[in-house]
Amino acid sequence: MPSLLVFKQENVYNRDMKEKYDLIIIGAGPAGLSAGLYGARAGLSCAVVEKAAVGGLATTTADIENYPGVKRTDGFSLCYAMMEQCTGAGAETVFSEAVGVERTDGGFLVRLANGTSPSCKRVIITAGASPKKLNVEGEEKFTGRGVSYCATCDGAFFRGKTVAVIGGGNTAVEDALYLEKLAAKVYLVHRRDALRADRVLEERLKASTVTPIWNSVVSSIDGQDKVAQIALKDVKTETLSTVSVDGIFVAIGQSPNSEIFRDLKTDEYGYILTDEDMRTSIDGILCAGDIRHKSLRQVITACADGAIAASTAARDLL
Ligand code: NAP
């Protein structure tokens, strides 16, 4: 599998970022890379700004089987291919964190943590979402010492061990099935007795060795230097119990990375509101992908959003 870090250093890192672009895209996940591809192909000068690694949350998915035309891949490889296509079309990628967006007479300044503030005529925000925390005792203390938010990143540390995955959505079930291949024992702890995950994943879970623990929430994570057990509460009977585990994978959904964009209208959870052309409440700022208020958050919908946002920008500018 290619390394995005090597890719970042050798092929993409842009030391000579220009001062002016038609379009700056904040975030290099599937939405941002698709926006870069469409923007560059439409003839716009584009920069995709990324604070961490290319691909965003999608790179934490071990198996992608619902991206049309690609029977089966992993998030890392798919995003790597998107990156190559995006930069191949002419979009530049800049590794720095966007810390603010300011309006100017002709457009916007995007303030970056590297001290530069390139200008542009249109901004597309594709900053994605981050995993939610349980907010229980022991979670912070044991993060990195048994508590993880990424099964594909950290699963290998739990080879032959006992782990619990928390959540009942697609991520939790996929994580549990992925970990089943590595760990000796996998529990899936869900607060209800019905999964939110897609039927196909539910069937696979039933056929697996993963042990579901229904109607239960984690009340604390305990241990000495590292995780040794989780305390659970049965939400129906209020019964308390403990389960010995070496690791706990939290997969209870995501929160939008929209804090720095607080002037934009959002829904009650902080997801940015757009119209169907991906325009936000501020003229000239567009938004695409998981950070946007929408009903289906998938790689394919992120890509579609990015394509629409860049096409809207191109229509405005050309
Ligand atoms: P999700 O669909 O929002 O599911 C979160 C799960 O965590 C739910 O089962 C929820 O329980 C549970 N939960 C939420 N807060 C909790 C808390 N405080 N304590 C305990 N449990 C809690 O999140 P996701 O699975 O990360 O998926 C996010 C989006 O990405 C979804 O749109 C999903 O379809 C998509 N996705 C798709 C794929 C794929 O298609 N292959 C893979 C991964 C993710 P309730 O069910 O009771 O609400």
Side-chain angles (χ1 to χ4, degrees), residues 131-185:
K132 274 194 205 158
K133 303 212 164 169
L134 286 167
N135 294 322
V136 296
E137 196 186 321
E139 183 178 24
E140 209 176 317
K141 175 178 172 191
F142 292 115
T143 294
R145 286 187 283 158
V147 174
S148 168
Y149 301 86
C150 176
T152 52
C153 316
D154 300 329
F157 297 120
F158 298 89
R159 208 175 281 278
K161 302 203 166 169
T162 299
V163 297
V165 177
I166 318 300
N170 281 332
T171 305
V173 176
E174 283 185 352
D175 284 359
L177 294 171
Y178 174 76
L179 291 164
E180 187 198 17
K181 293 180 218 147
L182 301 166
K185 176 80 202 154

Side-chain angles (χ1 to χ4, degrees), residues 1-8 76 80:
M1 194 186 295
S3 156
L4 282 179
L5 263 182
V6 171
F7 185 65
K8 169 174 157 178
F76 202 90
Y80 182 89

Side-chain angles (χ1 to χ4, degrees), residues 66 134 166-172 174 190-192 196 198 251-254 297-298:
N66 54 4
L134 286 167
I166 318 300
N170 281 332
T171 305
E174 283 185 352
H190 182 34
R191 65 183 177 182
R192 294 188 290 129
R196 179 177 294 277
D198 294 347
I252 60 166
Q254 302 151 7
R297 291 193 175 82
Q298 307 264 298

Side-chain angles (χ1 to χ4, degrees), residues 1 58 61-67 70-79 81:
M1 194 186 295
T61 305
D63 283 317
I64 294 183
E65 296 176 342
N66 54 4
Y67 192 84
V70 182
K71 202 167 174 192
R72 186 171 186 185
T73 186
D74 59 273
F76 202 90
S77 302
L78 185 59
C79 292

